[in-house]
Amino acid sequence: MNSSIEHGNPIKRLGLILVFMGLLVVVAFFVFNPSGTMTLGNASKPPLPDFTDVTELAGVDFVHENGARGGKWLPETMGGGVAFVDWDQDGDADLVFVNGSRWSWDESGAEPESSVVFYRNDSNPLEGIRMTRVQEFDFFFKDFQGMGVACGDFDSDGWTDLYITGLGRNRLLRNLEGTGWIDVTDSMGGGGESTAWSTSAVFADGDGDGDLDLLVCNYVQWNREIDEQINYRLGVIGRAYGPPMDYSGTQPYYFRNEDARFVEVAGESGFHVNQPGSEEPLGKGLGVIATDLNQDGWTDFVVANDTVRNFVFRNNQDGTFSEIGVETGVAFDNFGATRGAMGIDMAWLEDGGADDLALAIGNFANEMTALYVMETPELFFADQAIQRGVGTSSAEALTFGVCFFDYDLDGKLDLLTANGHIENRIAELGSGQTYQQPAHLFRNRSGAAQGEFFEWVNASWSVEDTDLFQPVVGRGAAYADLDLDGDLDLIITQVGERPLLLRNNLNQAGRSVRITLKGSDQNPEALGAIVTARISGRDTRRTITPTRGYLSQSELPVTVGLGQSGRLEKIVVQWPDGREQTVLDPPQSGAITIVYSD
């Protein structure tokens, strides 16, 4: 040690000690607070995500059936679709669950009664959130392991219809004007093959003719015999759920809407992607989002694939699509590797700038959640998860559902991930992984300070503070303002368990505006429209689509938070056909409905 330091001026020694202590504080900050957000006491904590588990109180008694009885068949790990959809047009979001089933070779008990389960929203300000089971609406599909749901008015009659996916033949359910449902798969199409395993799906106008087409992800080629031959085993666990690398890929379905009848045209439309130099399908799709990536007025699609590269389908404006995932930077991580991608969502993160269009993709354990942000107008994205505060703190979780929503009504979209492992005995391996995992919440802090964007809310609040962070076997996640109090409530589904219905207790009445669109005759729900709200000089944009995350659907109305003192100056709607409509001096709270006008 230098003697001048050890025996010199005591003031100099004190200064060096203080510098050293400061360095220790900085190191500790980044080690123990990987989200990159300094928290100095309670004053700097993010707003409490004050969510209460009201599943039982609200009357939701659904328990997901996945068929798991010890055989360890891969589809048992993947289900859990849910939808918030106003099927009766009374202004609030009703609830639909997709159920699995026991296997045909399992003789241990009876089949579940329903493959699709319906709850009507009967909430009111006095009694809070109340959901009423409507058993007469239920459907049971034999030899069907249900997975996901998509919502859209495919026949343009003004009532939202449902598309149910799973292992087996998919089903198209037509809405009977809020009084029930009818299975029209045989007459309207969309069923697909009885041996296919379909997952997420999305209604969108892909060919620009005004009505809704349908893109459906298919996962891997699976049956019991294939699973038995693979016979995947894992350490002390023995037989375990096998990784998708052991299974062959598939092609998606693309159903073109021809006068309310679906015709499968995936191959001729450019959605078939093969392995390089082979005729074997490459895709293993689990998540899908429809959005206009390059702002040319035409709908593009992004598919999240499990252990193979992600796909980006650019619309060629002639009814066909080109797969450009590699060129856009979305196919791989920043090191050129594939990941176990699950759910996907998109958002404009700040100020409405096109360069801030972002795609969030949930990935497998020890693979951080991806946050691909567009860096150039030429459709090039870079994964900025680490730079923007999502990467490090999301790495350990196994993420399925993802969705952007404004939990604190400050006008900025936050990010929620639903997490849970696929192997129920994973903790026995001593890897630090658990079967049940808490959801992660990342608060959007854009504009707070240079270099800051998302902060990991879990680092500041625990399960003792909020029911949102209960450990669950999370799969689907969706949001809606169930009690119409101005804030967004949540649901997280569990595979083989009951869901988690969470009431948001923000209690900031008057600090948000609910925007509902009534579209054209062909597209009454205005799917694909873009809503831009100017709040105190800052723009926030939202795409109208219910498809968010993994197997699930959120409500269509847009909830725009105004913060503590924001003013909603105007609303601009870009309708799917390219027309623009502006509302000046909109209401500063409550709800507004904007009707399409040509």
Side-chain angles (χ1 to χ4, degrees), residues 18 61 72 104 122 135 166 179 250 281 286 337 377 430 465 518 556 559:
L18 291 175
D61 55 0
K72 295 293 180 76
S104 60
D122 290 325
Q135 287 185 294
T179 64
T250 61
L286 286 178
D465 303 307
K518 296 296 184 183
L556 280 179
T559 296

Side-chain angles (χ1 to χ4, degrees), residues 81-332:
V82 65
F84 282 128
V85 52
D86 184 9
W87 77 59
D88 51 9
Q89 293 191 13
D90 64 350
D92 54 26
D94 306 301
L95 189 54
V96 179
F97 292 104
V98 179
N99 204 8
S101 67
R102 296 189 179 184
W103 298 107
S104 60
W105 54 85
D106 177 12
E107 299 178 355
S108 62
E111 289 274 19
E113 296 180 357
S114 303
S115 303
V116 189
V117 176
F118 296 84
Y119 288 83
R120 185 180 60 241
N121 190 343
D122 290 325
S123 305
N124 63 70
L126 294 178
E127 297 184 3
I129 296 177
R130 294 291 184 270
M131 311 301 291
T132 303
R133 176 76 181 272
V134 189
Q135 287 185 294
E136 59 267 29
F137 285 4
D138 289 0
F139 281 86
F140 173 72
F141 306 128
K142 187 175 176 57
D143 299 325
F144 183 76
Q145 188 69 253
M147 290 288 151
V149 55
C151 303
D153 183 5
F154 81 94
D155 54 1
S156 304
D157 66 349
W159 297 84
T160 303
D161 310 299
L162 302 177
Y163 184 77
I164 310 298
T165 70
L167 178 62
R169 188 165 176 261
N170 301 328
R171 300 308 204 281
L172 180 64
L173 305 181
R174 185 184 180 194
N175 189 334
L176 300 177
E177 299 185 355
T179 64
W181 307 84
I182 182 172
D183 185 346
V184 295
T185 315
D186 290 338
S187 59
M188 302 296 188
E193 300 177 3
S194 61
T195 58
W197 180 355
S198 298
T199 53
S200 294
V202 58
F203 283 103
D205 181 10
D207 54 9
D209 65 353
D211 56 23
L212 298 180
D213 309 301
L214 179 63
L215 181 63
V216 184
C217 294
N218 287 319
Y219 191 35
V220 297
Q221 297 180 32
W222 185 93
N223 58 43
R224 183 185 182 186
E225 290 72 26
I226 294 174
D227 209 326
E228 287 177 332
Q229 290 173 6
I230 291 172
N231 193 25
Y232 182 74
R233 309 188 76 78
L234 186 63
V236 297
I237 294 175
R239 178 167 167 81
Y241 295 111
M245 294 87 77
D246 293 338
Y247 299 86
S248 299
T250 61
Q251 306 289 10
Y253 297 137
Y254 180 60
F255 295 103
R256 187 172 59 216
N257 190 332
E258 297 182 357
D259 297 325
R261 285 171 173 77
F262 286 119
V263 179
E264 210 288 304
V265 293
E268 63 192 74
S269 299
F271 288 99
H272 282 187
V273 182
N274 295 327
Q275 297 181 23
S278 169
E279 296 297 321
E280 293 297 316
L282 177 63
K284 298 179 181 180
L286 286 178
V288 62
I289 194 77
T291 187
D292 183 2
L293 292 173
N294 54 2
Q295 296 298 283
D296 64 353
W298 293 76
T299 300
D300 310 298
F301 297 95
V302 185
V303 174
N305 283 309
D306 193 358
T307 69
V308 300
R309 62 182 175 86
N310 300 317
F311 297 152
V312 175
F313 294 102
R314 183 187 60 205
N315 198 319
N316 296 327
Q317 305 183 14
D318 60 1
T320 68
F321 294 78
S322 296
E323 201 290 296
I324 58 169
V326 174
E327 296 91 322
T328 60
V330 176
F332 304 105

Side-chain angles (χ1 to χ4, degrees), residues 9 34 38 51 62 116 170 184 286 300 395 404 410 430 439 485 499 562 590:
N9 189 318
M38 181 74 76
F51 288 87
F62 172 76
V116 189
N170 301 328
V184 295
L286 286 178
D300 310 298
F404 288 103
D410 66 351
D485 64 349
L562 303 181

Side-chain angles (χ1 to χ4, degrees), residues 10-81:
I11 296 177
K12 185 181 293 185
R13 291 205 307 271
L14 177 61
L16 290 170
I17 291 171
L18 291 175
V19 169
F20 180 71
M21 291 178 65
L23 289 172
L24 287 178
V25 170
V26 171
V27 171
F29 161 60
F30 283 106
V31 169
F32 296 107
N33 188 13
S35 67
T37 302
M38 181 74 76
T39 55
L40 302 175
N42 291 334
S44 61
K45 280 187 175 184
L48 170 68
D50 187 6
F51 288 87
T52 301
D53 180 358
V54 296
T55 313
E56 184 176 353
L57 181 64
V60 176
D61 55 0
F62 172 76
V63 178
H64 180 257
E65 169 66 75
N66 65 341
R69 302 294 186 274
K72 295 293 180 76
W73 311 110
L74 183 60
E76 297 168 359
T77 69
M78 306 299 287

Side-chain angles (χ1 to χ4, degrees), residues 47-53 407 416 438-439 441 457-471 490 500 502-505:
L48 170 68
D50 187 6
F51 288 87
T52 301
D53 180 358
Y407 89 91
L416 175 83
L441 181 61
V457 180
N458 300 58
S460 300
W461 303 98
S462 68
V463 69
E464 286 75 22
D465 303 307
T466 173
D467 289 339
L468 174 61
F469 296 147
Q470 292 183 55
L490 292 170
L500 193 64
L502 296 157
R503 183 187 65 223
N504 191 336
N505 304 314

